[in-house]
Amino acid sequence: MKKMLSIFTAMVILSSVFTSCIPYAANDPRFSMIAAEPVEKIVVGFAQIGSESDWRVACTNSVKKELSAANGFDLKFVDGKQKQENQINALRSFVEQNVDIIVLSPVVESGWDEVVKEINDAGIPLIIMDRKTDIEGTDYYVTWMGSNFIEEGEKAGKWLIDYMDGVNRGGDDINIAELYGTIGSSPAIDRHQGFLDALAGKTTFVRDVEARPNFKIVMSESGDFEQANGKEVMKSFLAESREKNIKIDVLFAHNDNMALGAIEAIKEAGMKPGEDIIIVGVDAVKGAFVAMAAGEMNCTVECSPLLGPQLAFNCKAIMEGKTLEKITYVIEGVYPQEVAAKELPNRVY
Ligand code: AHR
C-alpha cells in the first residue's frame, strides 16, 4: 500500500491551516473532502487451486468475503482450475502488476522454485495457504497458514481403530480401500502417511493409538479430490473386489466429496454404505453430515476452509510491518456419525 497524501489533500490541509481564523461548521466540506480521499487498498493476488470440492468453494468464498473492498482490499483472484501451469501464470501476472502481497495455495508440492524466486526477487511478501510446497527452508514465505494434514490422517486412523474395537472387530483382518487425493499434493501425501502411521501405532500428533498390523490398505487410487472421480474410482474398486474376491471392509477417502461419490457407487452396486463398507472422510462438509445422519457414512475428520479472517488479519499485519508466526495450524475436530444430526444445523460449509 503506497500511502501518500495527494497534492490536492495537502493543499486542503494547508489552506485550512492558513485560514484557521475563519470559523467553520463541523460539516465543513473541506473535511469531507479529506475524509472522502480514498485510502489506498491492500492489493492481494491470490492463486487459488480450483473449485474441485465443497471445501475449496467454501475457502474461496471465505477469502472473497474477508478480503473485500469494504474491508480495504483489492483482491486479484485467479482460479487455477487444478493446473499448476495456470497458478504459475497467475503468480507471474501478480509480480508484473506489483501487487502488495501474493497468496499461493499450491496444487502440488513440487515445481515452484523458479516462480517463487521471481516473487522473492521482486520483494513481494508471499503467504502460503492451505497446502505446502517442497521448497527447502522457510525464508521464501512470510507465513504459512492451514491444516495439519498428517494429524488429519492420524485422526482418521485412530477413529477407525477405536470404532472397530467398539464393534468387536479390532482383531479381524480389515481390508481398506483408499480414495487418494490429488497425486503430489500435500493433503494427499500427508493424510496417507498419517493414516499409515496410525495403523502402525507410530503417531506424532494423536495419542493412544495401538498398532493394527491386521488393518491393510488393499486398494488405493486417486480421485483428484472430486466427487465424480470418487464415484468412478469406487466403481473400479468394487469391480476389482468382485474379480479378485477381496472384501472391502472400509473406505478411507481423502476428502468428503470423494466419499460422497463413492457412496453413490456403493448404492448402485446394491450395497449399504456405512454398513457393508465403513466410510471415513475428511473435511466435515455439510454433505458428509447429511450422509452420516442418513447412516450412509461413519465419520469425517474436520479440515476447515474458513481461512479468510486469518488471511485478512495476516495481510494487514504484513502491511503494518508486524512479524507473524511462521506456521499457524487451524484447530479441528472429528465428527462421528452419532453426532451428525445434531451438528448438521451448525455447519457453515
Ligand atoms: O487442501 C485441502 C483439500 O483440498 C481438501 O481436503 C479438499 O477437499 C480440497 O480439495
Side-chain angles (χ1 to χ4, degrees):
M1 184 168 45
K2 292 98 193 168
K3 269 188 185 165
M4 282 192 297
L5 283 174
S6 69
I7 294 170
F8 177 68
T9 308
M11 282 167 60
V12 171
I13 292 169
L14 282 174
S15 74
S16 74
V17 169
F18 292 129
T19 59
S20 58
C21 55
I22 301 169
Y24 54 82
N27 60 354
D28 188 312
R30 286 173 297 174
F31 289 96
S32 58
M33 264 191 272
I34 293 171
E37 173 83 0
V39 175
E40 267 190 74
K41 298 198 170 5
I42 303 174
V43 185
V44 178
F46 176 27
Q48 174 62 296
I49 288 169
S51 51
E52 72 281 4
S53 61
D54 293 351
W55 188 102
R56 187 66 52 197
V57 172
C59 174
T60 294
N61 291 342
S62 172
V63 170
K64 284 187 175 170
K65 180 170 172 242
E66 297 300 325
L67 274 71
S68 63
N71 285 347
F73 290 94
D74 174 4
L75 177 65
K76 302 193 178 301
F77 175 86
V78 175
D79 176 336
K81 303 200 182 314
Q82 291 250 71
K83 289 202 165 39
Q84 183 175 34
E85 189 195 344
N86 294 342
Q87 287 196 289
I88 290 176
N89 289 340
L91 294 173
R92 293 209 162 111
S93 87
F94 297 152
V95 172
E96 258 171 44
Q97 292 170 70
N98 192 25
V99 299
D100 294 316
I101 296 170
I102 292 179
V103 183
L104 169 64
S105 290
V107 61
V108 289
E109 289 194 348
S110 59
W112 301 101
D113 303 64
E114 213 177 300
V115 71
V116 162
K117 187 172 179 309
E118 291 167 28
I119 293 168
N120 290 165
D121 288 348
I124 300 174
L126 176 64
I127 296 178
I128 308 285
M129 191 171 83
D130 159 35
R131 299 187 183 177
K132 291 183 298 189
T133 80
D134 64 2
I135 299 175
E136 275 191 23
T138 57
D139 288 347
Y140 68 94
Y141 61 86
V142 179
T143 189
W144 181 94
M145 46 181 286
S147 301
N148 185 333
F149 299 134
I150 294 205
E151 184 175 348
E152 291 170 354
E154 290 182 0
K155 284 174 175 168
K158 178 175 167 51
W159 175 84
L160 180 63
I161 291 167
D162 291 348
Y163 175 85
M164 287 302 186
D165 282 349
V167 293
N168 293 321
R169 293 179 66 193
D172 295 358
D173 286 339
I174 300 295
N175 292 332
I176 302 164
E178 179 187 43
L179 263 168
Y180 200 93
T182 298
I183 291 171
S185 71
S186 53
I189 294 167
D190 290 355
R191 286 172 188 163
H192 171 80
Q193 191 56 52
F195 189 74
L196 286 184
D197 289 347
L199 300 189
K202 290 185 184 148
T203 49
T204 310
F205 303 99
V206 176
R207 288 201 197 151
D208 303 325
V209 186
E210 209 184 281
R212 292 308 149 107
N214 47 319
F215 288 27
K216 294 206 171 72
I217 295 181
V218 293
M219 294 169 201
S220 179
E221 206 181 307
S222 171
D224 217 6
F225 287 123
E226 291 178 11
Q227 189 154 329
N229 289 340
K231 181 173 180 179
E232 287 314 304
V233 175
M234 190 68 216
K235 277 189 193 170
S236 72
F237 284 163
L238 292 170
E240 190 180 338
S241 129
R242 282 189 296 268
E243 273 163 36
K244 298 186 180 164
N245 199 22
I246 304 169
K247 181 179 182 315
I248 299 172
D249 299 297
V250 173
L251 174 70
F252 170 42
H254 285 194
N255 81 347
D256 288 338
N257 281 100
M258 291 192 295
L260 295 173
I263 288 170
E264 292 172 38
I266 294 167
K267 287 206 274 195
E268 283 174 17
M271 298 164 78
K272 284 190 179 160
E275 288 181 32
D276 296 331
I277 299 179
I278 303 303
I279 301 173
V280 54
V282 183
D283 281 353
V285 298
K286 268 187 199 161
F289 284 78
V290 172
M292 287 195 290
E296 295 180 342
M297 190 167 160
N298 306 82
C299 178
T300 182
V301 175
E302 189 178 30
C303 176
S304 178
L306 307 177
L307 299 168
Q310 193 194 347
L311 180 63
F313 175 88
N314 286 348
C315 289
K316 286 190 172 161
I318 288 171
M319 298 312 292
E320 287 162 12
K322 292 183 181 152
T323 307
L324 290 167
E325 294 287 334
K326 255 318 190 188
I327 294 179
T328 318
Y329 286 121
V330 186
I331 296 167
E332 294 157 338
V334 176
Y335 295 94
Q337 195 184 74
E338 307 83 84
V339 302
K342 190 165 167 265
E343 279 298 322
L344 182 55
N346 305 327
R347 301 308 296 167
V348 292
Y349 63 92

